[in-house]
Amino acid sequence: MKRVLICENVVRKFMVGKRENKREITVLNNINLEVKCGEIFGLLGPNGAGKTTLMKIISTLLYPTEGNVYVNGYDIFTDEKKIKRSIGVLLANNRSIYLKLTAKENLKFFCNLYGVQRSIQEERIDTVLKTVNLLERKNDYAENFSNGMLQRLNIARTIVHNPDFLILDEPSNGLDPNAANDVRNTIINLNNMGTTILLTTHNMMEADILSNRVAIIDKGKIISEGDPETLKNSLGNNICEIMVKRVDLENAKNVLKGLYIDKFNIISGDDINTLRIRVLNINKYTLQEINDILHANGIEIKSISLHKPMFEDVFINLTGKVFGKGD
């Protein structure tokens, strides 16, 4: 199968600090990555892991310090302009929509910027707006759009020149659930039309349902790669979920750590006063033994049971971090 993206031994270093205390840091360390034609590939990692730096390199905004990158068969060092014409890029928190223009006027501007032939611009704008479900709003000013509509318009301007490869950096970040779902549906629609997509997201559910394959990056290195189901199955079916009172959370965690059970995923309980502790490594203890030990330490257990892993469990197991929090 054709490979849309190839990263070979990519290293990126930066100099940081003031003049008298300058030092070199390595943000990306020997990254090897491939994205196949027609897939949605998820790139996940904690803040500071190197995701944005890698996305900027792939988007030709940065050069790697070492290594090679090929996008749609073009070399990042020698074919930068060809790469830019063949990709669409939406970087996190980087909106390029002009609020005083209508949706149509915005896309016409980007058609001209990308060199789309004038004779097909009207048809192309309508096609793109229909794809992101904004065709009926094409003559409305962007300043009157909701955040979700603005993000869909942002996606529209990244595909107005009909790119082969779309790079989306946290496309649903900061959106309410309904708007985020609209963006996800847009991504699925684009992929069904044949667009290859590289996606970063802070939403584990989003990564799970959208991605054909994912790579998890931490401290500048790819630490795991595969399809979501295979990665979840690698944890087995023995995730222990303990429902406790919110006030007992820290005590329960300390007791579990004393048993060398130290990887947790904390999620909401059935009401505001409860939390669910998803324990990823119960070692050789049975549920009854864990229940008895916690009870002996004054912790009231509302329920304890075994579950299949969620994708967030995989992330925490590999990185030791709650997704979205820094190093």
Side-chain angles (χ1 to χ4, degrees), residues 123-140:
E123 180 182 0
R124 183 62 191 160
I125 288 170
D126 283 355
T127 298
V128 167
L129 287 174
K130 184 177 180 180
T131 299
V132 300
N133 198 26
L134 285 175
L135 182 58
E136 294 182 357
R137 303 295 299 270
K138 74 174 183 178
N139 293 315
D140 293 350

Side-chain angles (χ1 to χ4, degrees), residues 50-319:
K51 299 187 305 297
T52 299
T53 300
L54 182 57
M55 296 289 262
K56 287 182 177 180
I57 289 174
I58 296 167
S59 305
T60 74
L61 299 177
L62 286 175
Y63 285 129
T65 307
E66 301 173 19
N68 300 303
V69 177
Y70 304 94
V71 181
N72 285 322
Y74 300 123
D75 188 318
I76 194 173
F77 291 106
T78 60
D79 302 314
E80 180 180 337
K81 290 183 178 179
K82 292 179 180 178
I83 290 175
K84 286 181 176 178
R85 284 196 293 266
S86 71
I87 64 175
V89 181
L90 177 62
L91 295 180
N93 303 315
N94 183 22
R95 288 181 174 165
S96 302
I97 298 302
Y98 296 93
L99 298 180
K100 296 298 182 181
L101 299 180
T102 66
K104 177 181 176 180
E105 289 168 342
N106 267 285
L107 294 187
K108 193 171 185 64
F109 170 80
F110 284 101
C111 277
N112 292 328
L113 191 65
Y114 283 117
V116 178
Q117 293 181 6
R118 291 185 181 274
S119 60
I120 65 170
Q121 285 187 9
E122 289 285 335
E123 180 182 0
R124 183 62 191 160
I125 288 170
D126 283 355
T127 298
V128 167
L129 287 174
K130 184 177 180 180
T131 299
V132 300
N133 198 26
L134 285 175
L135 182 58
E136 294 182 357
R137 303 295 299 270
K138 74 174 183 178
N139 293 315
D140 293 350
Y141 289 99
E143 64 183 353
N144 297 320
F145 284 7
S146 67
N147 285 337
M149 293 168 65
L150 284 172
Q151 190 68 327
R152 280 183 281 144
L153 185 57
N154 255 301
I155 293 174
R157 63 95 178 157
T158 70
I159 62 173
V160 75
H161 57 303
N162 199 25
D164 302 315
F165 183 32
L166 194 57
I167 299 168
L168 301 178
D169 190 10
E170 300 180 31
S172 65
N173 186 38
L175 301 181
D176 64 58
N178 287 333
N181 192 56
D182 286 340
V183 168
R184 285 191 283 271
N185 287 335
T186 298
I187 292 170
I188 292 171
N189 189 20
L190 287 167
N191 185 244
N192 287 339
M193 294 166 62
T195 306
T196 305
I197 298 171
L198 175 61
L199 169 75
T200 73
T201 177
H202 274 170
N203 187 313
M204 289 290 100
M205 179 273 292
E206 186 169 87
D208 194 357
I209 65 173
L210 290 181
S211 304
N212 302 109
R213 290 188 301 130
V214 297
I216 297 176
I217 183 172
D218 191 26
K219 298 178 181 177
K221 295 182 178 181
I222 300 292
I223 59 173
S224 187
E225 184 179 338
D227 68 88
E229 283 303 312
T230 298
L231 292 177
K232 285 188 290 185
N233 290 338
S234 69
L235 291 182
N237 294 323
N238 60 345
I239 304 299
C240 174
E241 188 171 284
I242 308 166
M243 185 84 75
V244 300
K245 290 182 178 180
R246 189 177 293 267
V247 294
D248 287 336
L249 175 63
E250 290 306 317
N251 189 18
K253 286 169 61 177
N254 289 333
V255 172
L256 291 169
K257 287 178 181 178
L259 302 175
Y260 299 100
I261 300 173
D262 56 2
K263 290 184 178 180
F264 311 111
N265 182 6
I266 311 300
I267 55 180
S268 299
D270 297 331
D271 59 68
I272 194 171
N273 295 314
T274 61
L275 289 170
R276 285 181 283 167
I277 308 174
R278 290 179 66 86
V279 183
L280 311 187
N281 58 329
I282 61 174
N283 297 332
K284 297 180 180 180
Y285 296 97
T286 65
L287 294 188
Q288 187 61 53
E289 288 171 334
I290 292 176
N291 180 79
D292 291 344
I293 292 169
L294 290 172
H295 183 73
N297 282 271
I299 300 163
E300 181 182 340
I301 305 299
K302 292 185 171 293
S303 67
I304 184 168
S305 54
L306 290 178
H307 294 264
K308 291 184 177 181
M310 303 187 302
F311 200 64
E312 188 171 356
D313 297 324
V314 175
F315 183 87
I316 292 172
N317 184 61
L318 290 169
T319 68

